[in-house]
Amino acid sequence: MILVFGKTGQVATELQDFKFVKALGREQADLSDPEACARAVKFYRPQAVTNAAAYTSVDKAESEEDLANIINGEATGAIAKACSELDIPYVHISTDYVFDGTGTKPWSIKDIPNPKNAYGRSKLKGEKIIQASGCTYAILRTSWVVSAHGNNFVKTMLRLSKTRDSLAVVDDQIGGPTCARDIARTCLSISEWLIKDPNKSGVYHYSGQPDVSWCQFANTIFKQAERQTIATPITTSDYPTAAKRPINSKLDCTATQEIFGIGRPLWLDGLGQIIRDLESKHEKA
């Protein structure tokens, strides 16, 4: 059995499609209570743990950094320590936001993190605690997560396109959209690898390809969904937010391919499935 922290988030929802997954919601393991999370690991004694829960309100974290640090840092550390004590692997989902977004080259796992917002700092704190815990782990940094569940860019664009002919969308932030379903499968695959070979512990990157801007991504969404809406390009400075966003969110996923044989997925394929899923739930019309 794989124990998953998170039940309603995008990746957690996808993970629950697998019968050998036991997902814990907030009522069973609240990440604002780190010790409760540790107790859950020790109670279920799974083969491996995946953390698909997090504080993800990027702008709100600017005023709630203490809470973000508890959920994304201390709770993550408590889970990692429990995994170390039980000698079971821990797969933790992290983010491109641990980097400052400068330059144009894809971020390597060897690059030094330098987050520019509170959310990124809280996620980096979690990474450091995991690495110091002594557990077998994989920290999987990903970016621009989308699915037919929860709140995300695809659903927002489809919702706005119902009533808008055009939308101004940021065109100077570049990254790899990543479908939650692909992330879920990758987490489980890496868990299986770590159970067999703890020496594969480390930090890995995983994002969809090709890298695009938010504006380019939006126009592809509209085309795939057969919407007449057009996304027009603006700059990050034209769309101020409480938290600074990285301009360059591209991730070098070479190590994930080399160590686990898992390549970057084509997000266009996943996008088509997301739109079909939304159609079946009557959310697209």
Side-chain angles (χ1 to χ4, degrees):
M1 180 258 286
I2 305 295
L3 186 67
V4 171
F5 284 86
K7 205 165 188 177
T8 59
Q10 296 187 77
V11 178
T13 299
E14 298 290 353
L15 281 165
Q16 289 169 80
D17 283 345
F18 297 87
K19 293 181 179 179
F20 52 85
V21 164
K22 171 65 178 179
L24 302 181
R26 188 175 300 175
E27 69 283 355
Q28 297 162 295
D30 190 336
L31 268 72
S32 64
D33 182 355
E35 288 309 310
C37 298
R39 287 195 298 270
V41 175
K42 294 175 182 178
F43 175 80
Y44 286 101
R45 305 184 73 87
Q47 292 175 288
V49 173
T50 292
N51 185 13
Y55 183 108
T56 57
S57 299
V58 177
D59 289 320
K60 200 174 180 181
E62 293 299 307
S63 59
E64 292 187 346
E65 188 163 0
D66 288 346
L67 179 59
N69 280 329
I70 292 172
I71 294 173
N72 293 342
E74 294 173 24
T76 293
I79 295 169
K81 183 180 178 182
C83 288
S84 177
E85 291 174 3
L86 295 177
D87 195 23
I88 56 176
Y90 179 35
V91 176
H92 177 74
I93 300 171
S94 193
T95 173
D96 63 287
Y97 277 43
V98 299
F99 297 112
D100 60 23
T102 57
T104 58
K105 292 177 60 178
W107 293 100
S108 163
I109 58 173
K110 296 180 181 179
D111 288 326
I112 299 173
N114 181 33
K116 63 194 304 183
N117 58 43
Y119 168 70
R121 289 191 293 271
S122 71
K123 293 296 286 185
L124 180 59
K125 180 177 180 178
E127 289 189 8
K128 289 180 176 179
I129 296 174
I130 292 169
Q131 291 171 305
S133 71
C135 75
T136 297
Y137 70 90
I139 294 168
L140 190 68
R141 295 177 183 146
T142 189
S143 63
W144 297 18
V145 182
V146 294
S147 70
H149 318 289
N151 299 314
N152 61 73
F153 187 76
V154 172
K155 294 183 72 175
T156 298
M157 290 299 101
L158 291 176
R159 174 173 53 81
L160 293 175
S161 69
K162 295 176 184 178
T163 57
R164 304 278 291 276
D165 293 328
S166 66
L167 290 167
V169 182
V170 171
D171 195 44
D172 59 351
Q173 295 175 22
I174 310 297
T178 317
C179 298
R181 188 166 297 175
D182 292 323
I183 298 172
R185 290 170 179 155
T186 295
C187 287
L188 295 177
S189 179
I190 289 176
S191 293
E192 292 175 0
W193 275 106
L194 292 179
I195 289 170
K196 294 182 291 186
D197 186 359
N199 291 323
K200 295 186 185 299
S201 279
V203 178
Y204 297 95
H205 290 172
Y206 181 75
S207 65
Q209 63 172 324
D211 294 314
V212 291
S213 72
W214 287 115
C215 187
Q216 291 170 323
F217 189 32
N219 277 319
T220 305
I221 293 167
F222 299 145
K223 182 178 179 181
Q224 287 292 304
E226 299 180 346
R227 297 289 170 89
Q228 301 305 309
T229 308
I230 295 174
T232 58
I234 60 171
T235 65
T236 297
S237 60
D238 294 325
Y239 188 73
T241 55
K244 293 181 179 179
R245 262 64 172 180
I247 297 297
N248 173 21
S249 288
K250 294 184 289 186
L251 295 174
D252 180 346
C253 304
T254 304
T256 310
Q257 171 74 63
E258 291 178 346
I259 302 300
F260 301 111
I262 301 172
R264 297 181 67 186
L266 294 169
W267 56 258
L268 188 59
D269 293 342
L271 175 61
Q273 186 60 57
I274 290 170
I275 292 172
R276 288 190 292 274
D277 289 346
L278 290 173
E279 285 177 332
S280 68
K281 294 195 294 185
H282 305 290
E283 291 191 24
K284 173 176 173 275

